[in-house]
Structure formats: C-alpha cells, structure tokens
Amino acid sequence: MTPRELPPPLPADRIAELNRPDGSLHTPRTHRWNDLELDLPPGVFKPGLTSAMVADRVLSGEIETRGRRYLAMGCGVGIEVIAAGLRGAAHTWAVDVHPASVETAVRHHRRFAGGDACTGVVADLLDGLPEGLGIDVVTFNPPAVSVPVADDPDVVRNVCQGVALLERFFAQLAGRDVLAPGAEVFVIASNTADLPGLVAAAQGHGFDAELALRHDWGDGVLTHLFRFTGCPR
C-alpha cells in the first residue's frame, strides 16, 4: 500500500463537526462493551466505534494475541486490554500518557480477564518502556485528527494531535529494541486524519504497510485499519 492509494482528509469544518466534544470528559461515566459495564473516571476517554473495532478483532483473534506479548498503546479505559486477556495473551502492556487511564485499564483487566498478566505503563508513547520486551503485537487508535477541535488539553490529548504523533511513534518503534522479530503493529484511523501522512511516516521508518480493513460509515467517513510489519530492527 502506498500513500497515494489513500483518501485525503475531509474538509476541516466537517472534521470539527464529527469530533465535537460532548462536555462529559471530566465527569464520572460508564461504558458498556461486549456486555461488560466499565467505569470511566474523569479524564478517561470513552471508547468510540474505532476502539471497539480493534477490541472486537482482538477478542475474535483476527488480531491474534493468544499466547503472544501484546502492547495496547493509548489504552484508555482498557477494552483492548480486556479483550487480549480474555483471548489468552501471554502478557499485556497497557500504555497511556494519562495515569488514570492506565490504572483503569489494568483494573478492568484484573476484574474481567483475571490474573496479573497486565503491566500498566504511564508513558508518552514508548518513553519509559524497557528495552528487550519482545512485543509481538501492538495496537494503536491514535489521536490523529488533523484539525484542532477544542482548547481543552485533555481533548487534544485524546483526539487531535495529528500525524506528527505517528511520526514519533514509528521513529521510536524503529529505534528502540521493543518489538519481537515478525511483530505486527495495527493502527486504526479515518479520513478525519491524514491517512497518506500516517502511512508515509511508517514507511519512512522502514515498515511495510497493508490494509487490514476499510469501513465506509456512509457519511463520508472512511475508517482504515492498517497492519504494519517488517520493523527494520
């Protein structure tokens, strides 16, 4: 797959309309996924449909984590972490820059998947992760929206950091000894982000890109789940 095969971002006003905050982020909330009732402390982002698409595929094995070492980047409330635990991941790392999200994800893993095979890491992307982890699978639903949608730093953190964040992400994956040979990195984003720029960032750091899923929501939004392999290390 090449960047030229991907759609450009939607118009800025349409992106802002689709990603307008509902004002509830700083309140306690609940969220239901896969018949599980999850609690969301203030500041922990509510999973959207794209997060559910990833978690559902982890749970089904389409993104296989059974017996593998799995890293959920931007873990949020932890639905991907729960899914990996239920699937039988050998170990899961729940990584987020937001401490309350990491704590919540680990707690939900223990509650719904059981055991202690989940390590929480508060980090800006891979900063603070030890070398030599040998991660087999990474998933990331990044805050890649390409235009600002709010001034609230917590909304910015969760929604609209743009493709520059992905550039740092792939640079770290390529430059750090974190991935196992043959590792798979799944990133999901829509055309509210710069999809060509996202793929170009990965390929610029030596990763091969393929399209694992493309979903048309019927309103102009096209969600793409990418599978990146061939880490240059």
Side-chain angles (χ1 to χ4, degrees), residues 73-213:
M73 181 61 66
C75 61
V77 72
I79 59 174
E80 298 95 335
V81 168
I82 298 167
L86 293 172
R87 181 69 183 171
H91 198 87
T92 294
W93 284 263
V95 182
D96 203 296
V97 73
H98 185 235
S101 294
V102 173
E103 187 278 330
T104 301
V106 172
R107 175 164 44 82
H108 281 147
H109 179 278
R110 289 174 180 163
R111 178 182 174 189
F112 295 113
D116 295 315
C118 181
T119 300
V121 180
V122 179
D124 181 9
L125 298 177
L126 301 181
D127 290 343
L129 280 169
E131 300 284 317
L133 287 180
I135 300 296
D136 299 301
V137 185
V138 179
T139 63
F140 193 13
N141 181 11
V145 168
S146 59
V147 300
V149 299
D151 296 326
D152 183 336
D154 283 321
V155 174
V156 173
R157 166 176 60 84
N158 282 289
V159 179
C160 51
Q161 295 192 49
V163 77
L165 182 73
L166 277 303
E167 171 65 34
R168 287 201 296 120
F169 174 64
F170 286 110
Q172 289 184 3
L173 284 178
R176 298 278 308 278
D177 180 18
V178 173
L179 298 180
E184 301 174 287
V185 179
F186 292 89
V187 178
I188 194 165
S190 75
N191 55 341
T192 63
D194 178 5
L195 296 177
L198 188 162
V199 169
Q203 293 177 334
H205 290 287
F207 289 88
D208 300 319
E210 65 178 79
L211 186 61
L213 174 73

